[in-house]
Amino acid sequence: MLVKKVAIIGAGYSGLAASAILSAAGYDVTVFEKNNQAGGRARSFSDQGFTFDMGPSWYWMPDVFESFYGRFGKCAKDFYDLKRLSPSFAIHYSEGDCMHVPSSVKMICELFEKTEEGAGNKLKEFLSEAGEKYRIAISDKLVFKPSLSWKEYIELAGKRNTWQLQLFSSFHKHVRRFFRHPRLIALMEFPVLFLGALPVQTPALYSLMNYAGLSLGTWYPMGGMYKTIEAMTDLAISNGVKIRCNSEVNSIDCRKGKVKGLSVKGEYHRADAIIASADYHHIEQTLLPEEFRMYSPKYWNSRKMSPSALIFFVGVNRKLKNLLHHNLFFDTDFSTHAKEIYVKSAYPTAPLFYVSCPSQTDPVVAPEGKENLFILIPIASGLNDDEETRSYYFDLVMKRLENITGNDFRNDIEVQKSYSLNEFKADYHAFKGNAYGLANTFLQTAFLKPKMQNRKLKNLFYAGQLTVPGPGVPPSIISGQIAAAEVIKYLN
Protein backbone atom coordinates (compact mmCIF):
# COMPACT_ATOMS: atom_id res chain seq x y z
CA MET A 1 0.00 0.00 0.00
CA LEU A 2 1.27 3.47 -0.91
CA VAL A 3 2.44 5.43 2.14
CA LYS A 4 0.51 8.67 2.50
CA LYS A 5 2.50 11.87 2.24
CA VAL A 6 2.17 14.85 4.56
CA ALA A 7 3.84 18.17 3.79
CA ILE A 8 4.46 20.67 6.59
CA ILE A 9 5.18 24.31 5.91
CA GLY A 10 7.51 25.75 8.55
CA ALA A 11 9.97 24.16 10.99
CA GLY A 12 9.06 26.06 14.14
CA TYR A 13 7.87 24.39 17.33
CA SER A 14 4.42 23.50 15.97
CA GLY A 15 5.72 22.19 12.65
CA LEU A 16 8.43 20.07 14.27
CA ALA A 17 5.99 18.68 16.87
CA ALA A 18 3.48 17.72 14.18
CA SER A 19 6.14 16.19 11.95
CA ALA A 20 7.54 13.87 14.62
CA ILE A 21 4.09 12.59 15.59
CA LEU A 22 2.97 11.99 12.01
CA SER A 23 6.18 10.27 10.97
CA ALA A 24 6.04 8.03 14.04
CA ALA A 25 2.48 7.16 12.99
CA GLY A 26 3.76 5.84 9.68
CA TYR A 27 3.32 8.75 7.29
CA ASP A 28 5.92 10.06 4.84
CA VAL A 29 6.58 13.54 6.23
CA THR A 30 8.57 16.40 4.71
CA VAL A 31 8.98 19.79 6.39
CA PHE A 32 9.69 22.76 4.12
CA GLU A 33 11.46 25.60 5.91
CA LYS A 34 12.01 29.02 4.34
CA ASN A 35 15.13 29.90 6.36
CA ASN A 36 18.53 28.23 6.55
CA GLN A 37 17.88 26.54 9.90
CA ALA A 38 14.95 25.00 11.73
CA GLY A 39 13.34 26.86 14.61
CA GLY A 40 11.13 29.57 13.15
CA ARG A 41 11.14 32.46 15.59
CA ALA A 42 13.34 30.35 17.88
CA ARG A 43 16.39 30.40 15.65
CA SER A 44 19.85 31.34 16.90
CA PHE A 45 22.98 32.95 15.51
CA SER A 46 26.61 33.36 16.57
CA ASP A 47 28.94 36.32 16.19
CA GLN A 48 32.49 36.75 17.56
CA GLY A 49 32.01 33.91 20.04
CA PHE A 50 28.60 35.07 21.30
CA THR A 51 25.58 32.81 20.70
CA PHE A 52 22.21 34.54 20.72
CA ASP A 53 18.75 33.01 20.89
CA MET A 54 16.77 35.11 18.43
CA GLY A 55 13.33 34.69 19.96
CA PRO A 56 11.93 32.84 22.99
CA SER A 57 14.04 33.11 26.11
CA TRP A 58 11.64 31.99 28.89
CA TYR A 59 11.33 28.25 29.55
CA TRP A 60 7.98 27.93 31.32
CA MET A 61 5.56 24.99 31.62
CA PRO A 62 8.25 22.28 31.66
CA ASP A 63 5.51 19.64 31.91
CA VAL A 64 4.43 20.43 28.33
CA PHE A 65 7.95 19.71 27.05
CA GLU A 66 8.17 16.52 29.11
CA SER A 67 4.76 15.33 27.93
CA PHE A 68 5.77 15.81 24.30
CA TYR A 69 9.15 14.09 24.70
CA GLY A 70 7.39 11.32 26.62
CA ARG A 71 5.36 10.42 23.54
CA PHE A 72 8.63 9.08 22.13
CA GLY A 73 9.97 7.50 25.31
CA LYS A 74 12.26 10.45 25.98
CA CYS A 75 12.60 13.27 28.50
CA ALA A 76 14.29 16.65 28.55
CA LYS A 77 17.47 15.36 30.18
CA ASP A 78 18.02 13.10 27.16
CA PHE A 79 18.63 16.27 25.13
CA TYR A 80 19.86 19.02 27.45
CA ASP A 81 20.66 19.94 31.03
CA LEU A 82 17.62 21.80 32.38
CA LYS A 83 18.35 24.22 35.22
CA ARG A 84 15.78 25.92 37.44
CA LEU A 85 16.70 29.58 37.86
CA SER A 86 16.90 30.92 41.39
CA PRO A 87 15.94 33.72 41.74
CA SER A 88 13.52 33.32 38.84
CA PHE A 89 13.89 36.92 37.63
CA ALA A 90 14.49 40.48 38.75
CA ILE A 91 12.29 43.56 38.50
CA HIS A 92 14.21 46.84 38.41
CA TYR A 93 12.30 49.95 39.51
CA SER A 94 15.08 52.49 39.78
CA GLU A 95 18.75 52.69 40.70
CA GLY A 96 19.31 50.49 43.74
CA ASP A 97 15.62 49.50 43.90
CA CYS A 98 15.26 45.96 42.62
CA MET A 99 12.97 43.05 43.52
CA HIS A 100 14.35 39.54 43.09
CA VAL A 101 11.48 37.08 42.61
CA PRO A 102 12.42 33.83 44.37
CA SER A 103 12.02 30.38 42.88
CA SER A 104 9.99 28.92 45.78
CA VAL A 105 6.34 29.77 46.36
CA LYS A 106 6.95 30.01 50.11
CA MET A 107 9.59 32.70 49.59
CA ILE A 108 7.45 34.52 47.02
CA CYS A 109 4.61 34.66 49.55
CA GLU A 110 7.02 36.13 52.10
CA LEU A 111 8.10 38.72 49.53
CA PHE A 112 4.47 39.66 48.84
CA GLU A 113 3.76 39.94 52.56
CA LYS A 114 6.68 42.34 53.03
CA THR A 115 5.34 44.48 50.21
CA GLU A 116 1.68 44.49 51.27
CA GLU A 117 0.18 43.23 54.53
CA GLY A 118 -1.94 40.16 53.93
CA ALA A 119 -0.69 39.71 50.37
CA GLY A 120 1.17 36.49 51.21
CA ASN A 121 -2.03 34.59 52.00
CA LYS A 122 -3.77 36.30 49.10
CA LEU A 123 -1.08 35.01 46.77
CA LYS A 124 -1.63 31.47 48.03
CA GLU A 125 -5.33 31.84 47.25
CA PHE A 126 -4.60 33.38 43.85
CA LEU A 127 -2.19 30.59 42.88
CA SER A 128 -4.60 27.92 44.11
CA GLU A 129 -7.28 29.26 41.76
CA ALA A 130 -4.76 29.67 38.94
CA GLY A 131 -3.48 26.15 39.51
CA GLU A 132 -6.97 24.75 39.06
CA LYS A 133 -7.29 26.62 35.75
CA TYR A 134 -3.94 25.20 34.71
CA ARG A 135 -5.05 21.67 35.63
CA ILE A 136 -8.27 22.01 33.61
CA ALA A 137 -6.40 23.54 30.66
CA ILE A 138 -3.45 21.11 30.56
CA SER A 139 -4.29 17.95 32.52
CA ASP A 140 -7.94 17.85 31.42
CA LYS A 141 -6.81 18.61 27.84
CA LEU A 142 -8.89 21.77 27.37
CA VAL A 143 -6.09 23.36 25.32
CA PHE A 144 -5.82 20.21 23.20
CA LYS A 145 -9.22 20.80 21.61
CA PRO A 146 -9.00 21.73 17.90
CA SER A 147 -11.72 24.35 18.49
CA LEU A 148 -13.30 23.72 15.10
CA SER A 149 -16.73 24.31 16.64
CA TRP A 150 -18.27 25.70 19.82
CA LYS A 151 -19.89 22.27 20.22
CA GLU A 152 -16.57 20.90 21.48
CA TYR A 153 -17.15 22.93 24.64
CA ILE A 154 -20.68 21.72 25.45
CA GLU A 155 -19.34 19.02 27.76
CA LEU A 156 -17.11 21.56 29.48
CA ALA A 157 -20.02 23.98 29.95
CA GLY A 158 -21.93 21.29 31.82
CA LYS A 159 -19.21 20.74 34.40
CA ARG A 160 -19.57 22.33 37.80
CA ASN A 161 -16.06 23.78 37.78
CA THR A 162 -16.46 25.68 34.51
CA TRP A 163 -16.86 28.95 36.40
CA GLN A 164 -13.32 28.52 37.70
CA LEU A 165 -11.93 29.20 34.25
CA GLN A 166 -13.26 32.78 34.37
CA LEU A 167 -13.46 33.07 30.60
CA PHE A 168 -15.66 36.15 30.82
CA SER A 169 -14.03 37.95 33.76
CA SER A 170 -11.23 40.42 33.13
CA PHE A 171 -7.68 39.83 34.25
CA HIS A 172 -7.55 43.46 35.44
CA LYS A 173 -10.38 42.99 37.94
CA HIS A 174 -9.20 39.54 38.93
CA VAL A 175 -5.74 40.71 40.00
CA ARG A 176 -7.17 43.65 41.95
CA ARG A 177 -9.44 41.32 43.91
CA PHE A 178 -6.28 40.06 45.60
CA PHE A 179 -3.69 42.85 45.57
CA ARG A 180 -3.58 46.63 46.00
CA HIS A 181 0.12 47.51 45.88
CA PRO A 182 1.07 48.76 42.39
CA ARG A 183 4.29 46.74 42.36
CA LEU A 184 2.46 43.48 43.01
CA ILE A 185 -0.19 44.32 40.44
CA ALA A 186 2.52 45.07 37.85
CA LEU A 187 4.30 41.81 38.69
CA MET A 188 1.12 39.80 38.18
CA GLU A 189 0.12 41.64 35.01
CA PHE A 190 3.45 41.63 33.18
CA PRO A 191 2.89 38.28 31.36
CA VAL A 192 -0.33 39.73 29.94
CA LEU A 193 1.69 42.44 28.17
CA PHE A 194 2.67 39.75 25.63
CA LEU A 195 -0.85 38.32 25.22
CA GLY A 196 -1.91 41.21 23.03
CA ALA A 197 -4.44 43.24 24.97
CA LEU A 198 -4.87 45.43 28.00
CA PRO A 199 -5.51 43.44 31.19
CA VAL A 200 -9.09 44.75 31.18
CA GLN A 201 -9.65 43.03 27.80
CA THR A 202 -7.89 39.78 28.71
CA PRO A 203 -9.83 36.88 30.27
CA ALA A 204 -8.96 36.05 33.88
CA LEU A 205 -8.38 32.53 32.56
CA TYR A 206 -4.81 33.63 31.82
CA SER A 207 -3.89 33.79 35.49
CA LEU A 208 -2.81 30.24 34.71
CA MET A 209 0.32 31.91 33.31
CA ASN A 210 1.09 33.29 36.77
CA TYR A 211 0.79 29.76 38.10
CA ALA A 212 3.13 28.51 35.37
CA GLY A 213 5.72 31.17 36.13
CA LEU A 214 5.56 31.40 39.92
CA SER A 215 4.59 27.84 40.94
CA LEU A 216 6.13 25.69 38.20
CA GLY A 217 9.21 27.86 37.99
CA THR A 218 11.44 29.52 35.41
CA TRP A 219 13.92 27.16 33.78
CA TYR A 220 16.78 27.31 31.32
CA PRO A 221 18.20 24.64 28.97
CA MET A 222 21.98 24.93 29.22
CA GLY A 223 23.32 25.94 25.84
CA GLY A 224 20.33 28.16 25.11
CA MET A 225 16.70 27.86 24.05
CA TYR A 226 17.83 26.61 20.66
CA LYS A 227 18.63 23.34 22.44
CA THR A 228 14.86 22.70 22.53
CA ILE A 229 14.71 23.12 18.74
CA GLU A 230 17.66 20.75 18.33
CA ALA A 231 15.86 18.24 20.56
CA MET A 232 12.65 18.40 18.53
CA THR A 233 14.61 18.26 15.27
CA ASP A 234 16.46 15.15 16.49
CA LEU A 235 13.15 13.51 17.44
CA ALA A 236 11.65 14.32 14.06
CA ILE A 237 14.61 13.08 12.03
CA SER A 238 15.00 9.93 14.15
CA ASN A 239 11.38 9.11 13.29
CA GLY A 240 12.00 9.55 9.58
CA VAL A 241 11.05 13.19 8.96
CA LYS A 242 12.82 14.96 6.10
CA ILE A 243 13.55 18.64 6.87
CA ARG A 244 14.38 20.81 3.88
CA CYS A 245 15.77 24.23 4.79
CA ASN A 246 16.13 27.11 2.33
CA SER A 247 12.91 25.77 0.80
CA GLU A 248 10.25 28.43 0.71
CA VAL A 249 6.84 27.25 -0.49
CA ASN A 250 5.71 29.31 -3.50
CA SER A 251 2.18 27.99 -4.02
CA ILE A 252 -0.30 25.32 -2.95
CA ASP A 253 -2.05 23.19 -5.56
CA CYS A 254 -5.80 23.14 -4.83
CA ARG A 255 -8.31 21.10 -6.84
CA LYS A 256 -11.82 19.81 -6.21
CA GLY A 257 -11.91 20.79 -2.56
CA LYS A 258 -8.55 19.33 -1.64
CA VAL A 259 -4.88 20.28 -1.65
CA LYS A 260 -2.92 18.05 -3.99
CA GLY A 261 0.59 19.29 -3.33
CA LEU A 262 2.82 22.33 -3.20
CA SER A 263 5.49 24.03 -5.24
CA VAL A 264 8.97 24.78 -3.84
CA LYS A 265 11.52 26.53 -6.07
CA GLY A 266 9.82 25.19 -9.17
CA GLU A 267 9.64 21.62 -7.84
CA TYR A 268 6.24 20.01 -7.29
CA HIS A 269 5.68 17.86 -4.20
CA ARG A 270 2.55 15.74 -3.98
CA ALA A 271 0.79 15.64 -0.61
CA ASP A 272 -2.23 13.81 0.80
CA ALA A 273 -2.45 16.46 3.52
CA ILE A 274 -0.69 19.70 4.37
CA ILE A 275 -0.08 21.39 7.72
CA ALA A 276 0.67 25.09 7.40
CA SER A 277 2.62 26.01 10.52
CA ALA A 278 4.03 29.17 8.99
CA ASP A 279 2.19 32.49 9.22
CA TYR A 280 -1.53 31.74 8.77
CA HIS A 281 -2.26 35.05 7.04
CA HIS A 282 0.57 34.55 4.53
CA ILE A 283 -0.48 30.98 3.73
CA GLU A 284 -4.08 31.97 3.19
CA GLN A 285 -3.76 35.33 1.51
CA THR A 286 -0.67 34.60 -0.63
CA LEU A 287 -0.30 30.87 -1.28
CA LEU A 288 -3.97 29.91 -1.71
CA PRO A 289 -6.11 30.87 -4.70
CA GLU A 290 -8.77 33.35 -3.61
CA GLU A 291 -11.68 30.90 -3.93
CA PHE A 292 -10.15 28.65 -1.28
CA ARG A 293 -9.54 31.32 1.37
CA MET A 294 -11.74 31.27 4.47
CA TYR A 295 -11.10 34.84 5.57
CA SER A 296 -11.16 38.17 3.77
CA PRO A 297 -8.59 40.99 3.98
CA LYS A 298 -11.22 42.91 5.98
CA TYR A 299 -11.33 40.07 8.51
CA TRP A 300 -7.56 40.03 8.91
CA ASN A 301 -7.30 43.80 9.22
CA SER A 302 -9.91 43.74 11.98
CA ARG A 303 -7.90 41.27 14.10
CA LYS A 304 -6.26 42.54 17.29
CA MET A 305 -2.62 41.56 17.28
CA SER A 306 -0.23 40.72 20.07
CA PRO A 307 2.83 42.96 20.19
CA SER A 308 5.75 42.94 17.92
CA ALA A 309 9.18 43.60 19.37
CA LEU A 310 12.23 45.75 18.92
CA ILE A 311 15.13 43.50 19.86
CA PHE A 312 18.81 44.28 20.35
CA PHE A 313 21.47 41.56 20.51
CA VAL A 314 24.46 42.93 22.38
CA GLY A 315 27.82 41.33 23.14
CA VAL A 316 29.80 43.08 25.88
CA ASN A 317 33.54 42.48 26.40
CA ARG A 318 33.36 42.43 30.19
CA LYS A 319 31.12 41.14 32.98
CA LEU A 320 28.28 43.32 34.29
CA LYS A 321 26.93 43.76 37.80
CA ASN A 322 23.38 43.88 39.16
CA LEU A 323 21.85 41.72 36.44
CA LEU A 324 20.18 38.32 36.74
CA HIS A 325 19.45 35.95 33.88
CA HIS A 326 15.98 37.53 33.38
CA ASN A 327 15.43 41.23 34.12
CA LEU A 328 12.28 43.35 33.79
CA PHE A 329 12.70 47.11 33.84
CA PHE A 330 9.58 48.65 35.40
CA ASP A 331 10.96 52.12 36.02
CA THR A 332 8.16 53.65 33.92
CA ASP A 333 4.37 53.30 33.94
CA PHE A 334 3.02 49.91 32.82
CA SER A 335 -0.45 51.14 31.85
CA THR A 336 0.89 53.95 29.64
CA HIS A 337 3.10 51.57 27.67
CA ALA A 338 0.26 49.03 27.33
CA LYS A 339 -2.15 51.69 26.01
CA GLU A 340 0.40 52.91 23.50
CA ILE A 341 0.67 49.36 22.15
CA TYR A 342 -2.98 48.31 22.19
CA VAL A 343 -5.00 51.51 22.00
CA LYS A 344 -2.89 54.07 20.15
CA SER A 345 -0.77 51.63 18.08
CA ALA A 346 2.18 53.98 18.47
CA TYR A 347 5.79 53.67 19.51
CA PRO A 348 6.03 53.95 23.31
CA THR A 349 7.21 57.21 24.83
CA ALA A 350 8.79 55.60 27.91
CA PRO A 351 8.76 51.85 27.34
CA LEU A 352 9.15 49.07 29.82
CA PHE A 353 11.76 46.66 28.54
CA TYR A 354 13.22 43.23 29.21
CA VAL A 355 16.85 42.11 29.33
CA SER A 356 17.95 38.50 29.17
CA CYS A 357 21.53 37.91 30.22
CA PRO A 358 21.99 34.14 29.78
CA SER A 359 25.74 34.41 30.31
CA GLN A 360 24.90 34.91 34.01
CA THR A 361 23.85 31.23 33.96
CA ASP A 362 25.55 29.66 30.98
CA PRO A 363 29.28 30.00 30.18
CA VAL A 364 28.98 28.79 26.58
CA VAL A 365 26.85 31.64 25.21
CA ALA A 366 29.61 34.25 25.54
CA PRO A 367 33.42 34.16 25.57
CA GLU A 368 34.98 33.93 29.02
CA GLY A 369 34.71 37.18 30.96
CA LYS A 370 32.12 38.62 28.58
CA GLU A 371 28.36 39.11 28.63
CA ASN A 372 25.51 38.20 26.27
CA LEU A 373 22.51 40.57 26.32
CA PHE A 374 19.12 40.21 24.64
CA ILE A 375 17.16 43.46 25.03
CA LEU A 376 13.47 43.51 24.04
CA ILE A 377 10.99 46.38 23.89
CA PRO A 378 7.36 45.35 23.22
CA ILE A 379 5.91 47.55 20.47
CA ALA A 380 2.70 47.60 18.45
CA SER A 381 2.45 45.53 15.28
CA GLY A 382 2.05 47.37 11.99
CA LEU A 383 4.29 50.36 12.74
CA ASN A 384 6.86 51.90 10.39
CA ASP A 385 10.32 50.53 11.06
CA ASP A 386 13.51 52.43 10.25
CA GLU A 387 17.10 52.70 11.48
CA GLU A 388 16.58 56.15 12.97
CA THR A 389 13.82 54.82 15.25
CA ARG A 390 15.90 51.80 16.23
CA SER A 391 18.87 54.01 17.09
CA TYR A 392 16.69 56.31 19.19
CA TYR A 393 15.32 53.43 21.26
CA PHE A 394 18.70 51.78 21.65
CA ASP A 395 20.09 55.01 23.14
CA LEU A 396 17.01 55.36 25.35
CA VAL A 397 17.16 51.88 26.87
CA MET A 398 20.94 51.88 27.16
CA LYS A 399 20.89 55.06 29.25
CA ARG A 400 18.26 53.60 31.57
CA LEU A 401 19.96 50.20 31.71
CA GLU A 402 23.31 51.76 32.58
CA ASN A 403 21.86 54.15 35.16
CA ILE A 404 19.68 51.58 36.92
CA THR A 405 22.28 48.80 37.08
CA GLY A 406 25.31 51.03 37.63
CA ASN A 407 27.11 49.69 34.56
CA ASP A 408 28.77 52.12 32.17
CA PHE A 409 29.47 49.79 29.25
CA ARG A 410 28.52 51.56 26.03
CA ASN A 411 32.18 51.62 24.97
CA ASP A 412 32.59 47.93 25.79
CA ILE A 413 30.14 46.64 23.19
CA GLU A 414 31.67 44.20 20.68
CA VAL A 415 28.49 42.97 18.96
CA GLN A 416 25.33 45.00 18.33
CA LYS A 417 22.50 43.91 16.06
CA SER A 418 18.84 44.87 15.94
CA TYR A 419 15.76 42.92 14.85
CA SER A 420 12.22 44.22 14.50
CA LEU A 421 9.14 44.51 12.32
CA ASN A 422 10.98 44.49 8.98
CA GLU A 423 12.83 41.26 9.82
CA PHE A 424 9.70 39.58 11.22
CA LYS A 425 8.03 40.28 7.87
CA ALA A 426 11.02 39.29 5.74
CA ASP A 427 12.02 36.15 7.66
CA TYR A 428 8.59 34.80 8.66
CA HIS A 429 6.06 36.66 6.49
CA ALA A 430 4.67 37.76 9.85
CA PHE A 431 1.34 39.55 9.49
CA LYS A 432 1.92 43.24 10.29
CA GLY A 433 5.35 42.24 11.58
CA ASN A 434 3.84 40.59 14.67
CA ALA A 435 6.07 38.66 17.06
CA TYR A 436 3.46 36.93 19.25
CA GLY A 437 0.45 36.21 17.05
CA LEU A 438 -3.15 37.18 17.73
CA ALA A 439 -4.15 38.96 20.91
CA ASN A 440 -5.84 36.68 23.43
CA THR A 441 -8.93 38.83 23.86
CA PHE A 442 -12.41 37.58 24.80
CA LEU A 443 -13.39 37.47 21.10
CA GLN A 444 -10.18 35.80 19.90
CA THR A 445 -10.02 32.83 22.25
CA ALA A 446 -10.62 29.11 21.54
CA PHE A 447 -13.16 28.54 18.72
CA LEU A 448 -13.14 32.28 17.93
CA LYS A 449 -9.58 32.06 16.59
CA PRO A 450 -8.85 31.32 12.90
CA LYS A 451 -9.80 27.69 12.35
CA MET A 452 -7.27 24.89 12.39
CA GLN A 453 -8.89 23.17 9.38
CA ASN A 454 -9.74 24.88 6.12
CA ARG A 455 -13.48 24.46 5.47
CA LYS A 456 -12.98 24.62 1.70
CA LEU A 457 -9.95 22.33 1.58
CA LYS A 458 -10.56 19.44 3.94
CA ASN A 459 -6.96 18.21 3.93
CA LEU A 460 -5.35 21.60 4.69
CA PHE A 461 -4.65 22.19 8.37
CA TYR A 462 -3.04 25.04 10.29
CA ALA A 463 -0.83 25.15 13.38
CA GLY A 464 1.08 27.81 15.27
CA GLN A 465 0.49 31.05 17.06
CA LEU A 466 -2.30 32.46 14.86
CA THR A 467 -4.57 29.52 15.60
CA VAL A 468 -5.30 27.47 18.75
CA PRO A 469 -4.28 27.43 21.50
CA GLY A 470 -2.30 30.66 20.92
CA PRO A 471 1.13 32.31 21.18
CA GLY A 472 4.09 31.07 23.17
CA VAL A 473 6.40 28.07 23.06
CA PRO A 474 4.31 25.51 25.02
CA PRO A 475 1.08 26.48 23.17
CA SER A 476 2.91 26.10 19.85
CA ILE A 477 4.10 22.61 20.80
CA ILE A 478 0.52 21.76 21.75
CA SER A 479 -0.78 23.28 18.50
CA GLY A 480 1.43 20.96 16.47
CA GLN A 481 0.14 17.95 18.38
CA ILE A 482 -3.49 18.98 17.78
CA ALA A 483 -2.87 19.48 14.05
CA ALA A 484 -1.16 16.08 13.79
CA ALA A 485 -4.12 14.40 15.49
CA GLU A 486 -6.53 16.06 13.06
CA VAL A 487 -4.46 14.94 10.07
CA ILE A 488 -4.39 11.36 11.35
CA LYS A 489 -8.16 11.47 11.85
CA TYR A 490 -8.60 12.74 8.30
CA LEU A 491 -6.21 10.32 6.59
CA ASN A 492 -7.58 7.31 8.43
Side-chain angles (χ1 to χ4, degrees), residues 103-119:
S103 60
S104 81
V105 173
K106 180 177 181 294
M107 293 177 68
I108 298 172
C109 288
E110 292 172 358
L111 174 65
F112 272 51
E113 188 64 31
K114 289 178 183 177
T115 307
E116 176 186 315
E117 186 177 355

Side-chain angles (χ1 to χ4, degrees), residues 31 40 42 115 118 215 290 296:
V31 181
T115 307
S215 295
E290 188 172 356
S296 67

Side-chain angles (χ1 to χ4, degrees), residues 60-355:
W60 276 3
M61 301 169 67
D63 51 319
V64 172
F65 290 87
E66 294 294 0
S67 175
F68 176 73
Y69 297 146
R71 297 182 69 142
F72 306 92
K74 301 287 186 178
C75 59
K77 68 180 180 181
D78 292 321
F79 302 105
Y80 45 80
D81 177 17
L82 191 60
K83 180 176 181 178
R84 186 166 186 170
L85 301 182
S86 181
S88 296
F89 55 92
I91 301 177
H92 300 265
Y93 298 103
S94 61
E95 185 177 357
D97 187 2
C98 176
M99 176 188 289
H100 286 189
V101 178
S103 60
S104 81
V105 173
K106 180 177 181 294
M107 293 177 68
I108 298 172
C109 288
E110 292 172 358
L111 174 65
F112 272 51
E113 188 64 31
K114 289 178 183 177
T115 307
E116 176 186 315
E117 186 177 355
N121 286 331
K122 286 290 186 181
L123 179 62
K124 292 177 185 177
E125 183 183 349
F126 182 98
L127 291 177
S128 177
E129 284 190 16
E132 182 61 18
K133 295 174 193 174
Y134 190 88
R135 184 191 65 76
I136 295 169
I138 304 298
S139 301
D140 288 356
K141 304 296 184 181
L142 173 63
V143 295
F144 282 84
K145 292 182 179 295
S147 296
L148 297 174
S149 167
W150 59 270
K151 294 177 182 179
E152 296 172 32
Y153 294 84
I154 290 177
E155 180 185 355
L156 176 67
K159 291 184 177 181
R160 288 184 300 173
N161 63 353
T162 302
W163 61 272
Q164 292 176 294
L165 291 173
Q166 297 179 303
L167 281 166
F168 303 105
S169 301
S170 83
F171 193 87
H172 177 274
K173 289 183 178 178
H174 182 65
V175 169
R176 285 158 180 79
R177 275 182 47 216
F178 294 88
F179 311 109
R180 298 185 307 276
H181 198 287
R183 288 192 175 183
L184 300 185
I185 291 172
L187 168 58
M188 302 307 281
E189 287 186 341
F190 100 82
V192 176
L193 188 65
F194 300 95
L195 288 177
L198 295 172
V200 72
Q201 298 171 317
T202 303
L205 164 70
Y206 292 105
S207 66
L208 62 84
M209 290 184 63
N210 300 106
Y211 175 80
L214 298 180
S215 295
L216 301 182
T218 299
W219 302 75
Y220 175 77
M222 298 298 285
M225 283 295 290
Y226 197 72
K227 286 292 181 183
T228 63
I229 292 296
E230 291 178 342
M232 296 182 72
T233 300
D234 286 349
L235 271 178
I237 292 174
S238 67
N239 279 285
V241 175
K242 297 176 284 293
I243 300 176
R244 293 185 49 168
C245 293
N246 296 309
S247 298
E248 180 170 6
V249 175
N250 307 123
S251 63
I252 298 174
D253 179 20
C254 309
R255 285 175 276 154
K256 297 180 180 180
K258 290 184 179 180
V259 293
K260 299 294 184 177
L262 43 75
S263 176
V264 180
K265 293 183 176 179
E267 291 184 7
Y268 184 80
H269 300 268
R270 185 184 69 82
D272 296 292
I274 292 175
I275 294 178
S277 73
D279 185 89
Y280 197 129
H281 173 269
H282 170 72
I283 299 294
E284 201 197 46
Q285 298 294 302
T286 303
L287 301 188
L288 289 183
E290 188 172 356
E291 63 267 30
F292 296 112
R293 299 170 189 169
M294 290 195 297
Y295 304 106
S296 67
K298 182 179 179 181
Y299 168 88
W300 283 108
N301 287 325
S302 69
R303 297 303 87 189
K304 292 186 179 295
M305 303 305 298
S306 288
S308 187
L310 173 51
I311 301 169
F312 299 103
F313 306 102
V314 179
V316 184
N317 66 12
R318 65 180 177 84
K319 301 302 285 184
L320 303 176
K321 61 185 179 181
N322 299 325
L323 283 174
L324 296 185
H325 187 124
H326 294 298
N327 306 268
L328 302 169
F329 287 80
F330 278 20
D331 54 313
T332 59
D333 183 59
F334 175 95
S335 62
T336 299
H337 187 174
K339 287 176 183 175
E340 287 171 330
I341 293 176
Y342 304 125
V343 179
K344 297 181 180 179
S345 292
Y347 274 102
T349 51
L352 283 72
F353 63 97
Y354 159 69
V355 176

Side-chain angles (χ1 to χ4, degrees), residues 424-441:
F424 281 112
K425 292 175 185 177
D427 291 349
Y428 313 122
H429 296 298
F431 180 48
K432 295 185 177 181
N434 81 84
Y436 299 99
L438 285 178
N440 283 333
T441 61

Side-chain angles (χ1 to χ4, degrees), residues 372-417:
N372 173 322
L373 300 180
F374 170 98
I375 303 171
L376 183 149
I377 305 171
I379 60 174
S381 298
L383 300 175
N384 290 326
D385 179 13
D386 56 60
E387 288 302 321
E388 184 179 354
T389 301
R390 295 187 187 198
S391 178
Y392 169 80
Y393 279 98
F394 183 74
D395 288 341
L396 186 152
V397 297
M398 282 297 295
K399 287 175 185 175
R400 285 165 53 190
L401 175 57
E402 288 182 319
N403 289 339
I404 291 171
T405 62
N407 290 293
D408 182 6
F409 65 95
R410 185 77 66 97
N411 294 328
D412 301 313
I413 293 175
E414 286 188 354
V415 175
Q416 179 185 331
K417 294 182 183 296

